Amino acid sequence: AQRVTQPEKLLSVFKGAPVELKCNYSYSGSPELFWYVQYSRQRLQLLLRHISRESIKGFTADLNKGETSFHLKKPFAQEEDSAMYYCALQNSGGSNYKLTFGKGTLLTVNP
Amino acid sequence: NAGVTQTPKFQVLKTGQSMTLQCAQDMNHEYMSWYRQDPGMGLRLIHYSVGAGITDQGEVPNGYNVSRSTTEDFPLRLLSAAPSQTSVYFCASSRREAYGYTFGSGTRLTVV
C-alpha cells in the first residue's frame, strides 16, 4: 500500500527565513511525487513534480529514494507563500490512476 | 480551455436529500477522480475512473455513486445525504501518464 506522511501539521516562519516542508512516502515501486499548494479557499494547484526537476516560485524538491523523502524547500520565504501544502504520490506502473495525498502542512509566513 | 469545471460551488442539503455534483473536463484526460477534503484529514479518494464506462471505489466510497458515460463528465451522486458528508468536494483529472492531476475549484457542501 502506498502512503504519504507529512509530519508537520503547522509550520510558521518569518519572512526571509528558509523553509522546509517535510514529506516521506512508502511505496514498493518507483513513485511519481508531487507537491500541491492550496491558497485560502482555492483549488489545489500543482506546484512541483519530481520528474521535471523544476523550480516554481523559488521552491525546489529533491527525491531521496534512500530516505524515501521528497522535502519541499525555499531559501527565503515570502508572505504570499502562506498556504496549505500537500505532498502526493502517484503510481508509475499499471495502476497509475491513484493519487495519494498526505494530510498537508499549513505554512504561515509572518512579516 | 476551461480545465476541470465543477458545479455547484456551494450547496446546502437537508438530511436524506439526494443530489448530484457535476464535474466536466475538456482536456481529453482518461483518468478522473473525486476527493473530499476535511480539516486534519487531507484529501481522501471517494471514487475514480480510468476511462469511459470504468469506475471503481476509492478510500471512502460509502454513500456515493458515480458513473462515467463520456470521457468529459464524471458526476458524483449523493444517495441520501448525511451530516457526515459535510465537506469540500474536489474533482480532478489526469492523463494516463503520471503527470499529476488537475483539480476543479471545489463544491462546498453542507448537510443539515
Side-chain angles (χ1 to χ4, degrees):
Chain A
Q2 57 198 63
R3 182 182 295 176
V4 177
T5 303
Q6 293 180 250
E8 303 139 329
K9 286 187 179 180
L10 304 170
L11 184 62
S12 182
V13 301
F14 285 102
K15 177 182 173 181
V19 61
E20 181 180 52
L21 292 91
K22 293 184 168 52
C23 172
N24 291 92
Y25 67 91
S26 63
Y27 178 59
S28 56
S30 181
E32 302 293 344
L33 285 149
F34 307 89
W35 277 99
Y36 284 82
V37 60
Q38 186 181 30
Y39 300 102
S40 180
R41 293 191 167 237
Q42 294 187 24
R43 74 180 72 196
L44 276 81
Q45 302 172 37
L46 182 60
L47 181 63
L48 283 177
R49 42 187 166 221
H50 90 271
I51 54 173
S52 50
R53 299 187 64 81
E54 55 203 341
S55 173
I56 303 294
K57 299 184 179 183
F59 285 98
T60 58
D62 289 317
L63 177 60
N64 185 323
K65 291 188 177 181
E67 296 182 357
T68 60
S69 68
F70 187 56
H71 302 329
L72 183 68
K73 300 176 184 179
K74 185 169 183 177
F76 307 104
Q78 303 300 315
E79 290 180 66
E80 55 265 30
D81 296 328
S82 295
M84 179 71 84
Y85 291 81
Y86 291 98
C87 183
L89 181 155
Q90 188 170 359
N91 301 2
S92 59
S95 58
N96 64 348
Y97 45 80
K98 190 178 283 190
L99 186 65
T100 300
F101 285 88
K103 289 187 165 43
T105 298
L106 180 62
L107 174 66
T108 302
V109 181
N110 300 298
Chain B
N1 189 335
V4 179
T5 303
Q6 288 185 240
T7 56
K9 292 193 184 301
F10 301 95
Q11 183 70 49
V12 178
L13 288 180
K14 293 183 178 178
T15 298
Q17 286 184 316
S18 63
M19 79 159 295
T20 299
L21 308 185
Q22 302 291 343
C23 176
Q25 53 93 7
D26 60 359
M27 298 172 285
N28 202 31
H29 284 172
E30 296 92 339
Y31 299 162
M32 295 187 76
S33 296
W34 275 102
Y35 289 86
R36 59 177 290 172
Q37 183 183 40
D38 301 290
M41 303 295 290
L43 284 95
R44 293 181 290 170
L45 181 64
I46 304 171
H47 284 285
Y48 64 89
S49 169
V50 298
I54 306 169
T55 64
D56 207 343
Q57 297 180 350
E59 186 183 350
V60 287
N62 292 341
Y64 308 95
N65 269 358
V66 292
S67 60
R68 184 118 178 252
S69 56
T70 66
T71 299
E72 294 78 20
D73 300 300
F74 191 43
L76 177 72
R77 280 182 285 278
L78 279 71
L79 308 172
S80 177
S84 60
Q85 294 179 303
T86 293
S87 186
V88 181
Y89 291 85
F90 286 99
C91 179
S93 71
S94 171
R95 290 164 51 186
R96 186 179 300 277
E97 300 82 8
Y99 283 169
Y101 275 74
T102 299
F103 281 78
S105 57
T107 295
R108 189 171 293 272
L109 176 69
T110 302
V111 182
V112 297

